[in-house]
Amino acid sequence: MQITQLTAFDLLDQIKKRQLTARDAVEAFLKQIDKHEKTIGALITVLPEYARERADQIDQMLADGRDAGPLAGLPIIIKDNLCTQFAKTTCASKILIDYQPPYNAHVVEQLEKAGAIIIAKANLDEFAMGSSTENSGIKTTRNPWSTDCVPGGSSGGSAAAVAARMAPVSLGTDTGGSIRLPAAFCGISGLKPTYGRVSRYGLVAYGSSLDQIGPLGADARDIALVMNVISGHDARDTTSVPESISPKPDYLTKLDTPLKGLRIGIVKEYQSSDGIDPQIVAAIDQATKLYEQMGAQLVEVSLPHTQYAVACYYLVATAEASSNLARYDGVHFGYRTPNPEDYIDVYSSSRAEGFGDEVKRRIMLGTYALSAGYYDAYYLKALKVRMMIRQDFEKAFEQADIICAPVAPTTAFRVGEKTSDPLTMYLSDIFTISANLAGIPGISIPAGFSRDSLPIGLQLLGNYFDESTILQAAWQYQQHTDFHRQIPAGFIEQ
Amino acid sequence: MSDLNYKVIIGLEIHVQLATQSKLFCACPNRFGDEPNSNVCPVCMGSPGTLPVMNKKAYEFAVRTAMAMNCEIARYTKWDRKSYYYPDLPKNYQISQYDLPLSQNGNIEITVAGEQKKIRIRRIHLEEDAGKLLHEGNVGFSQVDLNRTGTPLMEIVTEPDLSTPEEARVFGTELRTLVRTLGVSEANMQQGQMRLEPNINLVITKDGKQYKTPIAEVKNLGSLRALERACAYEIQRQLADWEKTGVTMETGFKSTRGWDEQTGTTVLQREKEEAEDYRYFPDPDLVPVVVEKDWLDAIRKSLPELPIARRARFQTQFCFSEKDATTLVEDRATADLFEQALSLGAPVKVLCNHFISFWAMHANQRGVSIAELGVSAPRMASLAKLVGDNKINNTTAAALAEKLLTCPDDPADIAQRENLMQVSDASSLEKILDEILIANAKAVEDARTPGKKQQKAFGFILGQVMQKTRGQANPQVVNQLLQKKLAEKN
Ligand SMILES: [Zn+2]
């Protein structure tokens, strides 16, 4: 099999056995990038020299018989809202177009310590605000399954890159579905961990109480490999969970345990959802039937407040964003308007010229929600609804071990189809947003194809800090299906 | 003016820089006077992606202060973001505490003109300080120094319980003594370590009707004296304004005014129609603070003796006047120095006398505290013991004290070396006395004869002995010897 078609697991195995060098791996994926980036537009920065240098170092370590880490030689692409001292971090925004952070994100440190090689930084919706990656201030990313279609968002670059095999795995971030949705649209697997499982230190904040970093890859095992490296407590993020409360497990150990007796929750409220593509409903039905055959038991659970999730999300996330994005003002870093009249104009013109429309829309929404006289009616009420959604899940997880649901109401839509109607666009996240509001983990895995050969995703939601069980359920499913092994035509090396 | 009187209403908002090693939400040094932008890191520079981590020591310092002010300490608090745009605030929001401050409802007792008064404390909370804008020498632009950004600031808000400029000053003194005693701040006002901002207005009663003048907040006060003067100025200004224009709280606006030390006046900075909207909301990057009872108990146990108690003890135990006790206790190190010298065996009366006389004088002359004079407790104790043991008198002690400021030796050694010790040895004094008695037969005769001249002659002989010994004879010993001699020859 060609290098670019290997899973991360197999690639690491070959490097470990010295059948392949890290440099070989890096060259193969750089070549794939060279070949396809023009059509896909998944990447903002490619780091060939940096990657080659790192690869040679790792090969030297391996040649010397030294331990180069669990991900030694693994090429990886990370979303461009994760800070790197060695490469620009743009958040796909004009306001940070030349911004070079003075430090590395926690996940970057962890990856590099483990021997992974960051070969590129991926496109996204500006500041991770969007569901299609069309809001990028830098470029539009295309779906490798159909270049007329969006890859989903906001981690569209991270998902499209893995689908196009520009890297075996990538990192994305998920605030309302931003890992799971593009994973579904691009026919790969993507995990949003429990809030607090992965340190956010160095993730440029959008909605701080919702943001989580997670891996995307071909299958659940590749995701588990990366999770073993990026998760765990970090004292620099006080919202990251201490070992004493939830010790970090080895995510690989439970993968092969059979599912017998696993209780899978089917959400009552999602059964009657209008506007969901029947092909997706059918795929989910197929998946649940397969789970039953594998020994799992289906139970009905209720998430009565889930209907308020989208409204709640667009208050909480935008309120936090309006404050988080206040620092992009042209004074201390980033884009500054060329000829300001006075210091107030430095602020207003730099922001007016630097931010895209969707970012401005969300900043205005959030500013409004936090304003005196509106705070109680909007932000405070949203926090109450959020608590109810959380309680819904706590109750559901008394009856079920995991919850099975669609990822999105549709498969990948066409570029430009929803850009003029932000509200319809917001509804793409209707099935993913609740997990962020509640803080629970969720994974999206390939579960079929539509008549137009577009991938369909299946979402598995887990209890707090129980990523292991959804990874196990995902991996077991992948032992009985081969949707996750499909690579879009034209991306297989000849 | 017929039948006009007025009441002054003053509340204080005080910002105290806490003397922690590091900043409130990052590990940068909390230190001033360094090169601009040298004590900074990605967190306090507000670099994208960074997150704050609370400095527990700063929280403890604020809790200590709150306890000393009899405040209720909250068991659950959170951090809020206060949004406003200014170039010295890199995140364009300040992390502060809004609706759940770490403590509330306390009080401080002050004594003004012998009267005790309780000033209520509304709340104490923590927040991060902003940076500094540097305009000097720049044309068309400013520079920002972020060394101060993120340093811990404790905000104390009083109820409007102060009713004279003097009370405001006394309160400020009391607060400064307290935070110094607690070791939470050096509270140097010139350096901005303690910033007091009075909110002041008047309730005027004229012809049976009440009028409230608009509240003015005064900033830029570099000393407690300035605070008192600014309040006094504001009273006269507001009264004059009201008499001229009739402006009241209802018709005028709340204003911010700046104190001008040169002219001794306050200058209008801005007037605001309505409160600014800071869009406070809980900071999602910081977990709420849950305060454990054990931790609070430990802090309470570690509190030093508070100024009010120490002052009382200095009055009753050491017989200081209220004024002297206040001055001594105002600086914890000085009060500690006193007690240390005492524990080394210095006689209490003598030591008190030294502190309020020459030690205080030298400190005043140099503009430092007694503790900063550089004379150690053992040397102060030694000096006091020399007086207590009748080895020197107080005049010699004062002279010696001055030498101690520049000479590192023990006062006993200096006294010995410079022959300043009192001669109390009876046999050597007797020899000197005998010589004088022989040489002054007339005076001896007068001293023996009851009558007008007796007392004068007695004094003359004593004076001769003092002259001969250059003032070092112990007057009591000489006195006894002389009486004995006069009686003998009779
Ligand atoms: Zn710092």
Side-chain angles (χ1 to χ4, degrees):
Chain A
M1 202 186 268
Q2 297 297 330
I3 293 175
T4 55
Q5 291 169 53
L6 294 172
T7 61
F9 189 89
D10 291 336
L11 188 76
L12 285 169
D13 188 54
Q14 292 197 13
I15 293 174
K16 203 158 134 200
K17 291 184 178 139
R18 314 286 303 278
Q19 294 161 345
L20 194 68
T21 64
R23 182 64 186 258
D24 294 337
V26 162
E27 294 299 345
F29 286 103
L30 285 176
K31 197 174 138 210
Q32 184 82 346
I33 289 170
D34 236 24
K35 204 161 144 198
H36 298 291
E37 173 54 19
K38 242 196 197 107
T39 6
I40 300 303
L43 309 173
I44 291 176
T45 307
V46 185
L47 302 160
E49 280 117 69
Y50 182 76
R52 287 183 179 119
E53 203 179 299
R54 289 264 305 142
D56 291 345
Q57 282 167 8
I58 283 160
D59 283 331
Q60 189 59 54
M61 282 177 84
L62 293 171
D64 295 347
R66 278 152 53 203
D67 180 8
L71 300 184
L74 180 70
I76 188 167
I77 288 171
I78 64 171
K79 193 173 177 179
D80 207 26
N81 59 351
L82 298 169
C83 287
T84 45
Q85 212 171 355
F86 50 85
K88 282 186 237 171
T89 300
T90 66
C91 296
S93 179
K94 198 183 160 193
I95 214 157
L96 286 179
I97 198 81
D98 288 316
Y99 178 66
Q100 185 111 11
Y103 71 103
N104 283 325
H106 176 76
V107 289
V108 170
E109 283 177 4
Q110 295 299 104
L111 284 175
E112 299 214 314
K113 229 190 294 168
I117 300 167
I118 296 166
I119 60 168
K121 301 196 72 184
N123 196 21
L124 62 148
D125 284 301
E126 184 178 2
F127 284 101
M129 297 178 184
S131 309
S132 67
T133 314
E134 289 165 293
N135 296 332
S136 168
I138 293 179
K139 55 167 71 170
T140 300
T141 301
R142 306 270 166 174
N143 191 318
W145 291 95
S146 163
T147 51
D148 291 340
C149 289
V150 301
S154 64
S155 309
S158 302
V162 171
R165 304 312 291 167
M166 294 173 178
V169 282
S170 66
L171 288 189
T173 64
D174 191 316
T175 307
S178 284
I179 288 173
R180 290 159 291 160
L181 183 74
F185 279 13
C186 292
I188 60 167
S189 307
L191 174 77
K192 180 205 96 76
T194 311
Y195 185 77
R197 187 37 108 195
V198 178
S199 167
R200 292 183 294 117
Y201 191 80
L203 154 60
V204 180
Y206 156 29
S208 314
S209 73
L210 303 155
D211 296 340
Q212 263 297 287
I213 302 165
L216 298 98
D219 60 34
R221 190 174 57 185
D222 279 4
I223 285 173
L225 271 173
V226 177
M227 274 301 282
N228 275 350
V229 166
I230 63 168
S231 65
H233 180 65
D234 171 21
R236 294 170 299 187
D237 175 1
T238 65
T239 63
S240 94
V241 68
E243 277 288 300
S244 58
I245 292 177
S246 178
K248 168 185 168 174
D250 178 346
Y251 293 101
L252 290 166
T253 51
K254 207 175 150 183
L255 292 179
D256 291 315
T257 310
L259 294 183
K260 198 156 172 44
L262 186 82
R263 299 171 302 165
I264 298 184
I266 308 294
V267 183
K268 194 175 91 185
E269 288 78 7
Y270 291 169
Q271 302 309 303
S272 54
S273 285
D274 293 329
I276 175 164
D277 185 338
Q279 299 181 89
I280 292 176
V281 176
I284 306 294
D285 278 349
Q286 283 288 312
T288 51
K289 284 204 182 86
L290 181 57
Y291 272 123
E292 271 189 304
Q293 285 164 24
M294 289 159 65
Q297 173 197 339
L298 300 187
V299 292
E300 191 180 73
V301 295
S302 174
L303 302 173
H305 297 97
T306 189
Q307 56 173 314
Y308 306 114
V310 172
C312 176
Y313 170 85
Y314 277 96
L315 288 169
V316 174
T318 60
E320 293 178 0
S322 73
S323 163
N324 286 333
L325 273 66
R327 71 189 68 194
Y328 309 108
D329 60 4
V331 175
H332 300 272
F333 41 75
Y335 173 80
R336 179 185 293 176
T337 190
N339 295 305
E341 282 168 23
D342 51 24
Y343 90 88
I344 297 290
D345 192 37
V346 173
Y347 291 152
S348 50
S349 294
S350 300
R351 287 167 73 78
E353 295 157 19
F355 287 137
D357 286 348
E358 184 60 27
V359 171
K360 286 180 198 163
R361 185 178 293 125
R362 295 196 192 192
I363 289 173
M364 284 191 279
L365 262 173
T367 304
Y368 186 81
L370 291 177
S371 295
Y374 301 101
Y375 182 88
D376 289 3
Y378 296 110
Y379 187 71
L380 208 60
K381 188 167 271 178
L383 289 190
K384 286 177 187 160
V385 172
R386 186 175 185 179
M387 190 51 72
M388 288 169 166
I389 290 170
R390 198 185 164 97
Q391 286 161 353
D392 280 358
F393 278 108
E394 283 167 1
K395 245 182 246 161
F397 283 117
E398 286 168 13
Q399 296 161 279
D401 300 310
I402 65 169
I403 290 170
C404 186
V407 179
T410 66
T411 53
F413 43 86
R414 297 171 75 82
V415 174
E417 190 182 325
K418 297 188 180 181
T419 39
S420 59
D421 185 359
L423 271 181
T424 325
M425 185 78 92
Y426 292 175
L427 290 175
S428 309
D429 296 330
I430 191 160
F431 296 115
T432 47
I433 272 174
S434 311
N436 299 81
L437 290 169
I440 57 168
I443 192 171
S444 168
I445 52 172
F449 289 88
S450 69
R451 283 184 296 273
D452 335 329
S453 306
L454 288 172
I456 293 173
L458 166 72
Q459 185 175 210
L460 304 173
L461 298 168
N463 208 341
Y464 294 95
F465 301 106
D466 192 15
E467 287 83 1
S468 289
T469 304
I470 51 174
L471 284 167
Q472 174 204 7
W475 178 246
Q476 288 301 309
Y477 177 83
Q478 289 172 336
Q479 302 313 295
H480 294 84
T481 56
D482 66 354
F483 306 120
H484 63 285
R485 290 203 190 92
Q486 306 306 311
I487 293 173
F491 295 91
I492 300 166
E493 278 175 87
Q494 294 309 314
Chain B
M1 273 295 167
S2 62
D3 189 26
L4 181 146
N5 59 60
Y6 63 87
K7 217 170 81 186
V8 180
I9 297 173
I10 306 172
L12 289 173
E13 203 179 292
I14 307 113
H15 287 93
V16 180
Q17 280 180 356
L18 295 180
T20 52
Q21 292 288 305
S22 52
K23 293 188 179 182
L24 186 51
F25 296 112
C26 66
C28 289
N30 176 20
R31 197 171 57 216
F32 299 100
D34 292 354
E35 275 290 292
N37 299 309
S38 58
N39 296 332
V40 293
C41 72
V43 177
C44 56
M45 287 192 296
S47 295
T50 55
L51 299 168
V53 177
M54 184 190 83
N55 177 347
K56 201 174 172 185
K57 199 77 196 169
Y59 201 92
E60 184 195 316
F61 277 11
V63 167
R64 281 167 78 84
T65 313
M67 281 178 175
M69 293 185 190
N70 311 303
C71 288
E72 298 159 13
I73 314 291
R75 298 293 295 277
Y76 177 94
T77 65
K78 64 182 172 69
W79 299 97
D80 300 287
R81 293 183 181 177
K82 177 182 179 178
S83 294
Y84 64 93
Y85 280 81
Y86 205 67
D88 65 5
L89 190 68
K91 303 189 296 293
N92 286 318
Y93 64 79
Q94 177 196 32
I95 306 176
S96 181
Q97 296 189 302
Y98 181 50
D99 52 345
L100 295 177
L102 62 87
S103 71
Q104 299 186 75
N105 303 330
N107 60 68
I108 291 189
E109 204 169 88
I110 59 168
T111 306
V112 179
E115 296 269 317
Q116 283 178 351
K117 185 170 178 182
K118 264 189 184 160
I119 307 302
R120 290 170 299 156
I121 303 296
R122 184 180 297 170
R123 57 182 281 159
I124 301 177
H125 76 250
L126 266 180
E127 60 190 27
E128 54 176 353
D129 208 345
K132 268 183 186 160
L133 288 188
L134 311 169
H135 306 286
E136 295 98 55
N138 302 327
V139 180
F141 66 95
S142 296
Q143 288 168 302
V144 190
D145 176 9
L146 298 181
N147 281 352
R148 200 177 67 182
T149 308
T151 56
L153 210 52
M154 174 170 66
E155 185 179 308
I156 302 167
V157 183
T158 76
E159 296 291 346
D161 289 350
L162 299 155
S163 41
T164 65
E166 191 191 4
E167 281 182 15
R169 177 183 48 79
V170 172
F171 178 90
T173 313
E174 193 64 44
L175 182 67
R176 191 176 60 186
T177 307
L178 187 67
V179 295
R180 283 178 180 170
T181 303
L182 293 166
V184 301
S185 176
E186 283 158 40
N188 182 319
M189 284 183 71
Q190 273 95 36
Q191 289 175 22
Q193 292 168 336
M194 184 167 99
R195 297 166 233 164
L196 291 123
E197 286 158 9
N199 271 268
I200 176 166
N201 78 327
L202 310 176
V203 180
I204 301 168
T205 310
K206 193 191 174 193
D207 303 329
K209 277 181 82 179
Q210 272 201 348
Y211 307 88
K212 288 180 185 162
T213 58
I215 296 174
E217 182 181 337
V218 186
K219 292 182 184 287
N220 197 26
L221 300 170
S223 67
L224 293 169
R225 177 94 189 96
L227 168 68
E228 186 173 18
R229 286 175 69 203
C231 288
Y233 175 81
E234 267 304 300
I235 294 169
Q236 294 315 313
R237 183 196 64 81
Q238 293 189 15
L239 200 58
D241 265 17
W242 177 79
E243 283 171 340
K244 209 163 79 189
T245 65
V247 66
T248 65
M249 204 181 245
E250 289 75 24
T251 58
F253 300 129
K254 194 175 176 221
S255 64
T256 304
R257 305 182 70 89
W259 172 248
D260 184 335
E261 186 72 40
Q262 245 60 57
T263 60
T265 60
T266 65
V267 183
L268 181 69
Q269 289 178 335
R270 64 192 168 128
E271 278 184 322
K272 41 190 173 183
E273 212 160 327
E274 47 192 312
E276 254 172 277
D277 186 358
Y278 291 115
R279 301 194 306 280
Y280 280 102
F281 83 107
D283 191 329
D285 286 335
L286 284 158
V287 287
V289 185
V290 178
V291 178
E292 303 290 343
K293 190 178 172 294
D294 289 353
W295 190 60
L296 289 184
D297 289 345
I299 295 174
R300 205 175 285 281
K301 266 194 208 125
S302 76
L303 287 183
E305 184 183 22
L306 297 181
I308 194 162
R310 196 173 209 186
R311 204 153 44 223
R313 194 162 57 78
F314 270 49
Q315 286 177 57
T316 53
Q317 200 175 330
F318 311 135
C319 306
F320 280 112
S321 71
E322 187 198 313
K323 186 171 164 285
D324 291 333
T326 306
T327 316
L328 264 178
V329 170
E330 200 171 317
D331 181 62
R332 184 183 172 184
T334 300
D336 286 349
L337 182 70
F338 177 85
E339 300 217 59
Q340 219 184 322
L342 207 60
S343 72
L344 292 168
V348 58
K349 276 225 171 93
V350 180
L351 191 66
C352 287
N353 181 274
H354 289 182
F355 265 69
I356 59 179
S357 59
F358 50 74
W359 291 134
M361 180 193 75
H362 289 308
N364 271 338
Q365 282 170 355
R366 284 162 181 75
V368 296
S369 70
I370 295 178
E372 289 165 334
L373 282 172
V375 182
S376 67
R379 297 206 300 153
M380 285 189 174
S382 170
L383 184 67
K385 275 193 275 188
L386 289 175
V387 176
D389 296 346
N390 284 321
K391 292 193 174 143
I392 58 172
N393 55 32
N394 274 319
T395 320
T396 312
L400 264 177
E402 200 158 354
K403 292 181 197 288
L404 291 182
L405 295 172
T406 50
C407 167
D409 297 345
D410 188 88
D413 295 341
I414 304 175
Q416 206 79 57
R417 194 168 62 220
E418 303 195 2
N419 268 326
L420 299 173
M421 289 293 194
Q422 274 192 141
V423 183
S424 303
D425 165 33
S427 64
S428 55
L429 280 178
E430 196 170 356
K431 212 183 274 170
I432 295 166
L433 185 59
D434 281 344
E435 284 169 23
I436 289 168
L437 291 180
I438 290 164
N440 295 282
K442 178 78 179 76
V444 175
E445 194 49 47
D446 288 347
R448 278 185 182 140
T449 318
K452 265 166 97 188
K453 288 182 176 169
Q454 187 179 32
Q455 206 48 35
K456 205 180 163 192
F458 198 90
F460 172 76
I461 298 168
L462 272 181
Q464 289 294 305
V465 178
M466 284 304 186
Q467 207 173 21
K468 193 109 188 175
T469 60
R470 286 177 307 143
Q472 288 157 37
N474 183 329
Q476 278 172 318
V477 178
V478 179
N479 207 325
Q480 278 168 10
L481 271 177
L482 181 56
Q483 273 176 359
K484 202 179 93 192
K485 294 266 172 194
L486 293 174
E488 264 173 21
K489 298 243 164 131
N490 219 349

